[in-house]
Amino acid sequence: MPVPLRRTSCVLICYLLVACTTSTAELARPLSPDDVETPLRPQLPRVESFFPEPSFDAPKLSPDGNLIAAIRRSNGQSSIITLDLESGSIVPVTSILGSNVNDLWWGNETRLILGLTDPTGLVHRLAAVDIDGSRFEDFGSERNFPGVTQRRPESQLADIIVSPLPDDPNNILVAYPFQIALKRIASNVFRLNIYTGRLTPEASTRLLALEWFPDGEGKIDVGFGFLGGASYLTVRSSTLRTWTKVPTSDVPSLLDASLIPLGTTSQQGVLYVRSRDASDRWELYRYDIASGTFSDRLLGDPEFDVEGPLLYSSPRAGEPMRVIGVRYTADYPRIAWLEPSWQEMAGTIDATLPNTVNDIVSWSRDETRLLVLASSDIDPGTYYVYDRSKRRLTRLFDRYPELSERPLTPLRSVRYAARDGARVPGYLALPGGIDAKLAGAASGEATQIPAGGVPLIVYPHGGSTGERPAALAEILDPLSARDSRAFDSEVQFFTSRGYGVFKPNYRGSSGFGQAYSKLGVGQWDGRIPEDVIDGVRWLIDSGVADPDRICLYANDAGAYVSLAALAKQPSLFACAVLRDGIFDFDSYLNERRVRAAIEQQTLESRQSLFADGGRILEAQLDLDRTQPDVSAQQPLIDRARTLTTPILIAYGEENRVVSPAQSKRLAAALAETPGQIEVVPLVGQPNFFRDAALRVTFYRTLERFLLRHLGTGYPDTTSDLEPEHSRHVDPPLLSPAAATFAN
């Protein structure tokens, strides 16, 4: 529920000075005798400094370009503020209790649309509020939907904004996915009044479209679905207003699809699509629906998939929205501009800020003012406003003021050879300014790596991080994910403690082309963990990693990969940290709400919806049923019962995405082994990273665990741990290399 706030103002510069002063004072606190040994060791950065709440989150520029609306977070609660760009004043709008604000958008000059989730993180819905804090409306999913009978919105998928309406500032188009008669999931589009919540049907079809694509005026005539082992478009005739199914591919699953629509063009019946028509990688084309033909390639990348989404011009009355660019992730997230004027403007910004990746996140209706986020692997981000007419860039605020002046560690792109010859991409961060000349590294000079190498954190990535709405990604790309060189607070935390960080994009990771993605199908107990092992051995052979001080760290699906790697090669790792992990994919499938929606289908319809034996997810998993290694036929938890490696298992007691039962089952199995097992249940927010106190609790516990089992990369420093944990570990746990590695 919203809580009205007293309307007060303060100058933005004053806010930033207060934030910086507070940060400096906390970092400079006197050391107590219990914090240090003789001689005095320099103080390491506080844990809290790496995981603060952002100063402002999800900022958006108002249609007139005069205000910025943003989310402020504190201890798991969200509030909305506006910032006046002329006066610098910050004005509270409303505070939201009992829900998290994930994102916000301007509905018009005076009204904001909020994307909310309940405390479990599963139920998504929209709300709206005027910028003066009045007329708050919660558009929850418990409502009647015109023209819909015996159906209900799938809560994880509800309230997906499809498009604004250029000629109607009081309404937006919203898609509500439903479970229909056969338990398949499809969606209908409604016109949603952002003041009253009234819904007016806009588009629906019995042809089971899940995604919809409006034209520049907000009219819906094209949808996209996947059923019966084939993807297809649903197209509405402009004259008869009837829907027709147009097949686009007949393949076992979306892993094999050759065409995915991204949006409409200004030409009726022609779409922007990502396609593998002439390449192993996704590239951008126009696609004529009637003829089934592609244009010449509009955009491609020699190394990475161009996946989308598209970027559109601002909605203006009487003027259709235009596609102006497309987002995708190379080493860094980037925008490829399709309009020359935007490309020229972006080039001007890049020339002014040459050392950062400059993301244009929002712009005014007339497109003369733009909000820019400048960030990199060593810069958590600074927001600027660019005045296009004056060609002037004005700095606004840092995302994380506590980190803005701290020397940070770069991530380097690397590639190495797996045992079967596959080239595996990844990223490597080395502490204390160390650089390394590595075979397969994108850059690097000869280095000062300490004798014996550095202690290393091996961090395989987790599950879906696609650009689609999260719930659609869970259906269409359920385990599709990858790492990039974008700023990562955890990398900086680890390297500040003297640990290197290795982030392999094991086979099956998205973004590197179809062939690489398909190499991971059915390899969760085989080649995928072997990719991690092979990367670690490469770093040992290169002299980068200390072979006695290597620890796995991962969450959700990455925790499965880590535990599988540990089970295959336990002598390679000194410890493992598994947070909110998936350790049994069968039970994970049973726990998912989407699985529950499908469970009562007939076998035929289950196979139709998810293909490959019933589900795209099961096709991706396959759990190595054909592997000759007999041990891989056993459930992972059973194979882990013989481990003696120290393992820290952490999980959120309220987590509803990956059930804590997964971690508890593993902990119970490992309790029967002679290994050192620590279990850390975190009680509070379903996603404990939204709670500052829980974040600090976890990372302090993690730091103690690493000190015990890896030692420290900086033996001449002390951390800010409580006194009993702030001293060196006993000398037998420190390898000789540690003594030679000083900052």
Side-chain angles (χ1 to χ4, degrees):
M1 62 176 292
V3 176
L5 297 180
R6 182 169 58 91
R7 297 175 57 77
T8 59
S9 299
C10 68
V11 178
L12 175 63
I13 295 175
C14 291
Y15 163 77
L16 293 176
L17 286 176
V18 169
C20 292
T21 302
T22 301
S23 173
T24 303
E26 290 174 343
L27 288 171
R29 66 173 178 82
L31 294 174
S32 71
D34 286 331
D35 285 321
V36 300
E37 293 176 351
T38 303
L40 180 69
R41 298 197 301 273
Q43 179 78 13
L44 291 177
R46 298 162 55 250
V47 170
E48 292 91 330
S49 66
F50 292 97
F51 307 102
E53 302 285 359
S55 56
F56 298 103
D57 202 9
K60 302 290 193 306
L61 201 60
S62 63
D64 61 13
N66 294 326
L67 298 175
I68 289 176
I71 305 167
R72 293 288 300 273
R73 305 189 192 277
S74 179
N75 293 321
Q77 298 299 325
S78 305
S79 59
I80 311 301
I81 60 95
T82 59
L83 164 66
D84 190 305
L85 292 177
E86 300 303 322
S87 67
S89 62
I90 298 173
V91 180
V93 175
T94 190
S95 181
I96 309 296
L97 300 180
S99 295
N100 182 64
V101 184
N102 290 328
D103 208 343
L104 58 76
W105 307 267
W106 288 88
N108 53 44
E109 254 87 357
T110 60
R111 194 152 177 85
L112 295 169
I113 302 167
L114 312 178
L116 308 180
T117 59
D118 74 341
T120 69
L122 295 182
V123 179
H124 295 243
R125 66 192 194 281
L126 296 177
V129 64
D130 284 352
I131 59 173
D132 63 2
S134 65
R135 294 197 288 182
F136 179 90
E137 292 289 337
D138 188 333
F139 309 135
S141 59
E142 296 300 323
R143 57 166 73 211
N144 294 320
F145 289 82
V148 178
T149 60
Q150 297 181 344
R151 307 179 185 182
R152 64 179 181 83
E154 178 58 36
S155 61
Q156 285 181 292
L157 309 177
D159 296 45
I160 299 170
I161 295 179
V162 175
S163 177
L165 295 168
D167 296 317
D168 186 356
N170 295 334
N171 288 273
I172 59 174
L173 295 182
V174 179
Y176 288 91
F178 290 89
Q179 297 175 14
I180 63 176
L182 293 177
K183 304 296 188 204
R184 300 180 182 127
I185 297 175
S187 66
N188 292 349
V189 179
F190 296 88
R191 186 177 294 245
L192 171 67
N193 187 293
I194 62 175
Y195 289 93
T196 67
R198 180 183 177 186
L199 293 173
T200 304
E202 191 72 22
S204 64
T205 171
R206 296 181 181 274
L207 299 177
L208 305 182
L210 182 57
E211 290 190 270
W212 300 90
F213 303 96
D215 63 16
E217 297 176 349
K219 186 172 62 176
I220 301 284
D221 284 333
V222 178
F224 176 71
F226 185 83
L227 188 66
S231 61
Y232 56 88
L233 298 169
T234 59
V235 181
R236 180 159 52 180
S237 164
S238 59
T239 54
L240 301 177
R241 311 308 293 164
T242 56
W243 291 94
T244 304
K245 178 189 285 188
V246 180
T248 59
S249 62
D250 187 3
V251 293
S253 81
L254 279 181
L255 297 175
D256 300 283
S258 60
L259 180 156
I260 301 289
L262 295 176
T264 61
T265 70
S266 58
Q267 186 178 351
Q268 188 172 7
V270 178
L271 302 177
Y272 285 105
V273 300
R274 70 186 200 200
S275 175
R276 300 187 181 110
D277 183 58
S279 170
D280 174 64
R281 290 169 300 281
W282 290 119
E283 298 176 317
L284 185 67
Y285 293 85
R286 292 187 184 91
Y287 177 75
D288 187 292
I289 297 173
S291 65
T293 57
F294 293 92
S295 69
D296 292 337
R297 185 182 67 179
L298 302 177
L299 178 68
D301 189 288
E303 295 185 60
F304 303 99
D305 287 320
V306 177
E307 295 182 300
L310 300 175
L311 294 177
Y312 291 85
S313 62
S314 296
R316 293 200 284 260
E319 182 178 324
M321 293 182 291
R322 316 176 314 279
V323 174
I324 58 175
V326 59
R327 291 186 183 274
Y328 73 99
T329 300
D331 269 334
Y332 290 102
R334 62 161 299 184
I335 299 172
W337 298 102
L338 301 179
E339 283 199 355
S341 62
W342 280 85
Q343 178 62 57
E344 179 184 2
M345 176 270 304
T348 300
I349 294 172
D350 290 343
T352 307
L353 302 170
N355 299 319
T356 51
V357 176
N358 305 308
D359 184 8
I360 300 174
V361 298
S362 179
W363 46 87
S364 61
R365 182 186 292 112
D366 63 7
E367 300 174 5
T368 61
R369 271 190 169 179
L370 303 97
L371 184 62
V372 180
L373 174 61
S375 65
S376 73
D377 54 338
I378 58 172
D379 185 341
T382 300
Y383 283 99
Y384 296 82
V385 166
Y386 179 66
D387 190 314
R388 203 171 180 178
S389 60
K390 299 177 181 177
R391 297 174 65 86
R392 183 176 66 191
L393 194 67
T394 304
R395 180 171 179 160
L396 291 179
F397 48 84
D398 296 324
R399 291 186 69 207
Y400 298 104
E402 287 192 59
L403 290 175
S404 60
E405 301 302 323
R406 182 181 305 286
L408 298 173
T409 307
L411 272 169
R412 307 176 51 209
S413 299
V414 297
R415 284 183 183 267
Y416 60 93
R419 65 191 66 186
D420 64 348
R423 299 290 293 174
V424 181
Y427 299 95
L428 177 68
L430 296 176
I434 293 175
D435 191 11
K437 188 173 184 179
L438 295 168
S443 63
E445 303 296 333
T447 78
Q448 306 275 334
I449 297 176
V454 301
L456 185 70
I457 306 297
V458 181
Y459 190 173
H461 64 74
S464 180
T465 57
E467 291 285 0
R468 295 172 181 273
L472 295 183
E474 287 188 355
I475 292 177
L476 300 177
D477 305 291
L479 291 176
S480 173
R482 57 160 295 193
D483 271 319
S484 73
R485 286 184 67 188
F487 182 81
D488 188 326
S489 293
E490 288 185 310
V491 168
Q492 302 303 327
F493 168 67
F494 288 133
T495 57
S496 78
R497 270 52 186 167
Y499 306 124
V501 181
F502 173 49
K503 305 179 77 173
N505 276 311
Y506 48 79
R507 70 190 67 204
S509 299
S510 62
F512 299 97
Q514 182 184 35
Y516 191 72
S517 180
K518 293 184 72 173
L519 282 178
V521 173
Q523 294 297 319
W524 288 90
D525 292 286
R527 295 298 191 188
I528 287 176
E530 287 170 358
D531 284 350
V532 175
I533 292 168
D534 294 345
V536 171
R537 285 177 171 157
W538 169 66
L539 291 172
I540 292 172
D541 293 343
S542 301
V544 171
D546 181 340
D548 297 321
R549 297 196 292 162
I550 298 172
C551 191
L552 291 154
Y553 173 77
N555 64 292
D556 60 71
Y560 190 101
V561 173
S562 295
L563 188 60
L566 182 60
K568 280 180 174 289
Q569 198 71 47
S571 63
L572 192 61
F573 303 102
C575 59
V577 179
L578 309 173
R579 174 173 59 81
D580 285 318
I582 300 170
F583 307 110
D584 182 335
F585 279 119
D586 285 333
S587 64
Y588 173 63
L589 286 166
N590 284 321
E591 290 154 5
R592 289 165 58 93
R593 291 179 62 84
V594 173
R595 170 65 179 263
I598 303 165
E599 191 61 38
Q600 297 179 8
Q601 295 181 61
T602 65
L603 177 62
E604 178 182 359
S605 62
R606 284 168 61 185
Q607 290 175 333
S608 295
L609 180 58
F610 279 90
D612 278 348
R615 291 165 298 274
I616 292 172
L617 181 55
E618 288 186 345
Q620 286 182 303
L621 299 178
D622 194 31
L623 299 183
D624 301 311
R625 305 303 186 195
T626 62
Q627 269 216 129
D629 182 359
V630 175
S631 66
Q633 314 253 349
Q634 297 177 288
L636 178 58
I637 289 179
D638 290 342
R639 280 177 277 144
R641 293 178 191 276
T642 61
L643 293 174
T644 59
T645 308
I647 299 176
L648 173 65
I649 302 171
Y651 57 88
E653 281 280 15
E654 309 301 321
N655 193 323
R656 295 296 180 268
V657 178
V658 178
S659 169
Q662 294 264 341
S663 294
K664 291 177 181 179
R665 280 190 59 203
L666 177 64
L670 295 179
E672 304 169 6
T673 73
Q676 303 175 52
I677 307 302
E678 295 184 40
V679 180
V680 183
L682 295 157
V683 181
Q685 293 279 334
N687 181 346
F688 68 80
F689 278 87
R690 291 176 180 164
D691 187 301
L694 288 177
R695 284 200 303 271
V696 172
T697 296
F698 170 72
Y699 286 110
R700 285 181 177 275
T701 303
L702 172 60
E703 184 174 17
R704 296 186 195 105
F705 181 84
L706 295 176
L707 280 170
R708 281 196 296 275
H709 301 295
L710 294 188
T712 175
Y714 292 137
D716 60 339
T717 60
T718 183
S719 74
D720 66 335
L721 293 173
E722 287 80 354
E724 64 268 26
H725 298 292
S726 65
R727 303 181 185 278
H728 281 309
V729 295
D730 293 332
L733 292 179
L734 281 172
S735 73
T740 66
F741 185 54
N743 187 20

